[in-house]
Amino acid sequence: MDYNSFLDLVKQRRTIRRFKPDPLPDDYVDKIIEAARWAPSGYNSQPWEFVVIKDKKLKDDVFNTIARQRPTGGSGFAQTEDYRESWMRQKSLPWLDPEMEYQNAPVFILLYGDTRTQLGLPMVVRYDPYMKQSIYTSSLANAFLYMHLAATTLGLASQWVSLVASPNNHLRLKGLLNIPAGIDVYDMMALGYPAHKSRPKLMRPADKMVHRDFFGEEDFRTDEEVRDFIKRTRAWVSANHRRGVDKKMVG
Ligand SMILES: Cc1cc2nc3c(=O)[nH]c(=O)nc-3n(C[C@H](O)[C@H](O)[C@H](O)COP(=O)(O)O)c2cc1C
């Protein structure tokens, strides 16, 4: 593979949050997991476990468990937004409409990590809480990203559903799915055929993020520039969450 083909894949992988309900060919999930298995992991620990859910009732149960944490579920998500600094507050969180989101996706893949694998890390890592955690979660993140890239090559839409990892959801899902002790959820992928196209991505320009050899503080963004980007990207993400809900945004 040449660099341009690789970059095309990287650019094509985009988060899509609306899915057609059509089922996927069986081997698609296998292909996605096969790619993830090859991800680099700290000390080759391969801490991952994959839970694939296609059963409609079970998917609904997982969705409803997570939806309880939504603004509409009164879990604190929206309430805590009231404490956000005023300069980046948004009027509302209109994109979070549970009726319109990923419950339509024909497959959920939950990525779990086996904390017992941490025993095999070098002792300086194992006894450093920060390093132990970062090596473990980075390994799982690698596998998860490979899953999203593989899904892209198959023409599929995929979404991160990070709320699976909030303490309440984590424990409720553990009960629902019979997950043993020591196996902790990392994230969930909703997977299916896309119901709409992605729109161009808001990108930070490269010039202020690359620092070569001898550079100074002035080489980095100012506080004002960081705040400006935060405002713009929050608006961009909100619009993406609504994409496919607003009829004019479909297509
Ligand atoms: C660690 C991580 C967690 C994320 N969690 C969520 C999530 O819970 N729900 C969601 O809809 N998107 C989630 N996303 C997707 C991001 O919002 C998305 O990647 C970002 O807006 C850039 O858009 P793109 O994926 O189309 O490039 C997450 C992405 C990452 C990397």
Side-chain angles (χ1 to χ4, degrees), residues 13-15 17 159-163 201 236-237 241:
R13 184 229 47 87
R14 295 293 311 284
T15 303
R17 300 180 176 87
Q159 181 187 353
W160 270 257
V161 183
S162 303
L163 270 179
K201 182 161 174 169
W236 181 86
V237 171
H241 274 266

Side-chain angles (χ1 to χ4, degrees), residues 10-44:
V10 166
K11 288 183 178 176
Q12 265 177 43
R13 184 229 47 87
R14 295 293 311 284
T15 303
I16 301 268
R17 300 180 176 87
R18 317 271 175 247
F19 303 86
K20 293 181 181 165
D22 315 17
L24 304 181
D26 277 344
D27 65 329
Y28 275 24
V29 169
D30 298 341
K31 285 177 167 160
I32 287 169
I33 292 174
E34 180 57 12
R37 265 180 5 99
W38 285 90
S41 56
Y43 229 67
N44 198 23

Side-chain angles (χ1 to χ4, degrees), residues 10-11 13-17 70 95-96 101-102 141 144-145 148 158-164 186-188 198-199 201-203 233 236-237 240-241:
V10 166
K11 288 183 178 176
R13 184 229 47 87
R14 295 293 311 284
T15 303
I16 301 268
R17 300 180 176 87
R70 292 295 182 64
W95 64 83
L96 289 165
E101 288 198 68
Y102 61 86
F144 205 53
L145 183 57
H148 287 275
S158 58
Q159 181 187 353
W160 270 257
V161 183
S162 303
L163 270 179
V164 287
Y186 172 72
D187 215 319
M188 184 175 98
S198 53
R199 65 177 185 145
K201 182 161 174 169
L202 172 69
M203 293 287 290
T233 200
W236 181 86
V237 171
N240 276 337
H241 274 266

Side-chain angles (χ1 to χ4, degrees), residues 73-92:
S75 67
F77 189 113
Q79 291 84 339
T80 47
E81 286 297 317
D82 291 344
Y83 299 100
R84 185 181 285 283
E85 294 86 336
S86 56
W87 62 266
M88 64 172 132
R89 242 180 246 164
Q90 288 167 323
K91 279 209 179 76
S92 59

